[in-house]
């Protein structure tokens, strides 16, 4: 079949790590020449770059090179055989306006990736969105996190989970997405527009870092407000005001707001909001999720294990991994790996210990960490939304008690965890949670189910066969990791994206149970905004 195209992707261009982009373009041009297509190409760019470290000491970058031009009568089958493809590299969203009239601006609950990208698209199209955020601004969040680490006094609304930018703002800022969606490229382009590094466009595992992501979030909010939108911090959504199956307003702890439509981008930790929605009649289903601990190694050890003698090479940066293991049908895997990062105190409820991983753009920390978590199935907790929430909460409260209070995190060396011994103090590798000064040696079985401990124990041994030293006796495990994803899903219509039983309420993002990470949440939020626009006309032209 012959087609015309503006873009051809040349895959698997393997190059030495010190080779220039120009050299990669030359190889791609040579491969196009063999098909008689190089003459039509007017521009080359890097579409994707990954690391191939399977045959140390020979480590390569593997590029996908995007050729742009007027490619006429291209044989798609010949391209496929030559490891090339016709692509649309960055599809901008198609914005269509419906003829429905909004009685008031649309309200968006939550200023995480889903909420912000929904608000950005709506603001750019004249819908004057109103964002309600229970937490504070980025600056207020930074101060609240600093104060929590210093005083162990938790602000339950402004913290690592809640506030401008959502939970991802205090993370590694990973933009890896496992969804094959054309809007992913658009999301990355918008991040760059607001200050993210240019290389997120093509790195296979892009990340921004919490320091830069904080700036990006502020700039996005400034843009939304400049276009006619608004944001109300420290404003907790309580319930929608419903009449005839439609929302007309929302109740908050700061009073009522009119709402012509409602996007629920609440985030995966808004447990009180989940309970309000359940009691209010929303159709909400429990779903699988994962729990476990954070594992810490020395950054240089992971680099050496994965890159050999090339460890520390400036072209490679720090090594990353993503590992999985299936133990008797229960998947166990690493999640949110943070090279050169730290384990952070991510609690959002009093009396619970929660950990997460965070790193700055430079990833210059002494330790690397990742979550090691096991899948929790619906039958493990009773298969109801309330039971799912309580399952997570119970682990966090037990971790708090096991740590001895004051948000001390329970830790154990990997050697003790694997052998059943107790009491080994951290030596070469030291914990980073609250600067390593607010931890306590403890047995994970005191806060995690036994089957989770067994699964993680088996997985660590399996991962050690893939990355030598993963099961190092002096590596550190810190608990509890419970917020890997939402425990429930707010059910919605597949086509219109409205909540089941309602006409103008749009559940979106990770908190609604439809995404897993910054990019996929942003995509889902953008799609919900597009669906809203297809149903309603703008407020201002």
């Amino acid at each position: 079949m012959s087609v015309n195209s503006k873009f051809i992707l040349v895959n698997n261009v393997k190059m030495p790590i010190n080779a220039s982009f120009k050299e990669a373009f030359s190889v791609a041009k040579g491969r196009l020449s063999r098909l008689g297509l190089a003459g039509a190409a007017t521009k080359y760019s890097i579409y994707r770059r990954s690391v191939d470290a399977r045959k140390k000491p020979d480590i390569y970058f593997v590029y996908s090179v995007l050729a742009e031009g007027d490619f006429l009568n291209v044989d798609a089958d010949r391209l496929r055989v030559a490891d090339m493809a016709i692509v649309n590299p960055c599809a901008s969203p198609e914005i269509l306006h419906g003829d429905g009239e909004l009685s008031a601006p649309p309200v968006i609950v939550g200023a995480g990736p889903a909420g912000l990208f929904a608000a950005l698209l709506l603001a750019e199209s004249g819908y004057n969105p109103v964002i309600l955020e229970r937490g504070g601004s980025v600056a207020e969040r930074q101060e609240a996190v600093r104060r929590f680490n210093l005083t162990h006094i938790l602000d339950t609304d402004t913290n690592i989970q809640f506030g401008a930018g959502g939970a991802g703002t205090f993370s590694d800022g990973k933009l890896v997405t496992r969804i094959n969606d054309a809007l992913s490229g658009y999301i990355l382009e918008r991040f760059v527009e607001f200050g993210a590094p240019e290389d997120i466009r093509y790195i296979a595992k892009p990340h921004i870092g919490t320091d830069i992501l904080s700036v990006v979030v502020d700039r996005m909010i400034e843009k939304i407000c400049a276009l006619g939108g608004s944001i109300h911090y420290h404003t907790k959504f309580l319930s929608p005001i419903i009449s005839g199956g439609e929302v007309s307003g929302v109740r908050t702890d700061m009073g009522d707001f009119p709402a012509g439509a409602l996007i629920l981008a609440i985030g995966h930790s808004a447990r009180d909001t989940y309970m309000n929605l359940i009691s209010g009649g929303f159709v909400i289903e429990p779903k699988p999720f994962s729990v476990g601990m954070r594992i810490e190694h020395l950054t240089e050890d992971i680099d050496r294990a994965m890159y050999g003698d090339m460890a520390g090479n400036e072209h490679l940066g720090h090594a990353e991994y993503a590992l999985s293991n299936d133990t008797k049908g229960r998947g166990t895997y690493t999640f949110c790996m943070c090279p050169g990062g730290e384990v952070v105190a991510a609690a959002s409820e009093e009396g619970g210990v929660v950990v997460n991983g965070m790193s700055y753009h430079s990833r210059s920390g002494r330790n690397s960490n990742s979550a090691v978590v096991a899948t929790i199935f619906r039958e493990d907790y009773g298969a109801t939304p309330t039971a799912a929430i309580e399952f997570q909460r119970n682990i966090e409260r037990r971790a708090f008690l096991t740590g001895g209070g004051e948000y001390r995190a329970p830790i154990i060396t990997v050697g003790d965890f694997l052998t059943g011994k107790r009491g080994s103090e951290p030596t070469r590798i030291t914990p980073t949670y609250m600067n390593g000064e607010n931890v306590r040696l403890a047995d994970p079985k005191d806060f995690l189910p036994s089957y989770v401990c067994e699964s993680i124990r088996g997985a660590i041994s399996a991962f050690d066969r893939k990355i030598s030293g993963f099961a190092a006796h002096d590596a550190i495990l810190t608990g509890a990791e419970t917020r890997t994803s939402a425990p429930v899903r707010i059910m919605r219509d597949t086509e219109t994206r409205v909540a089941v039983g309602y006409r103008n309420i749009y559940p979106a993002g990770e908190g609604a149970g439809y995404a897993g990470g910054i990019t996929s949440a942003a995509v889902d939020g953008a799609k919900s905004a597009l669906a809203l626009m297809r149903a309603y006309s703008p407020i201002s032209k």
Side-chain angles (χ1 to χ4, degrees), residues 178-381:
R178 294 172 181 82
I179 59 171
N180 184 21
D181 194 290
L183 281 184
S184 295
Y186 165 79
I187 297 298
L188 296 182
E189 289 294 330
R190 297 309 303 262
F191 273 124
V192 171
E193 175 188 338
F194 289 104
E198 297 274 346
D199 62 11
I200 69 169
R201 290 189 173 110
Y202 59 82
I203 297 176
K205 297 179 180 179
H207 89 110
I208 299 179
T210 188
D211 46 343
I212 296 178
L213 187 54
S214 298
V215 176
V216 169
V217 167
D218 271 341
R219 290 176 178 174
M220 287 186 70
I221 292 171
E222 289 173 5
K223 180 72 170 181
I224 291 164
C225 293
L227 291 169
S230 61
I231 185 166
H232 298 262
Y233 294 116
H234 308 292
T235 304
K236 185 186 297 185
F237 167 79
L238 300 177
S239 65
I241 300 170
I242 303 293
S243 176
E246 291 191 353
V247 67
S248 60
V250 297
R251 291 195 169 91
T252 79
D253 62 352
M254 300 300 290
D256 294 352
F257 288 77
L262 177 62
I263 294 178
L264 291 171
I266 61 177
H268 63 31
S269 293
R271 292 167 175 166
D272 49 359
T273 305
Y274 286 142
M275 297 307 295
N276 289 343
L277 294 175
I278 291 168
S279 63
F282 279 74
V283 180
I284 296 180
E285 293 188 354
K287 58 184 277 293
F289 51 91
S290 301
V291 301
M293 296 176 280
R294 282 262 153 190
I295 190 167
E296 293 192 82
H297 303 88
L298 291 183
T299 302
E300 62 184 30
D301 287 353
I302 295 296
D303 289 351
R304 176 71 62 177
M306 296 188 69
Y307 292 158
D309 291 341
M310 296 294 286
N313 186 287
E314 62 179 348
H315 298 290
L316 286 172
H318 291 307
E320 298 180 67
Y321 58 76
L323 305 168
S324 62
N325 186 59
D326 194 333
T327 307
K328 297 180 180 178
R330 188 180 298 278
T332 308
Y333 58 96
T334 64
F335 175 80
C336 186
M337 194 265 171
C338 297
E342 60 188 89
V343 175
V344 294
S348 59
E349 294 182 340
E350 291 182 352
V353 165
V354 183
V355 297
N356 194 12
M358 186 184 83
S359 60
Y360 297 100
H361 182 69
S362 65
R363 291 176 162 176
S364 58
R366 185 170 184 263
N367 289 3
S368 289
N369 73 80
S370 72
V372 184
V373 292
T375 303
I376 302 301
F377 300 109
R378 288 158 49 107
E379 54 267 29
D380 289 324
Y381 56 77

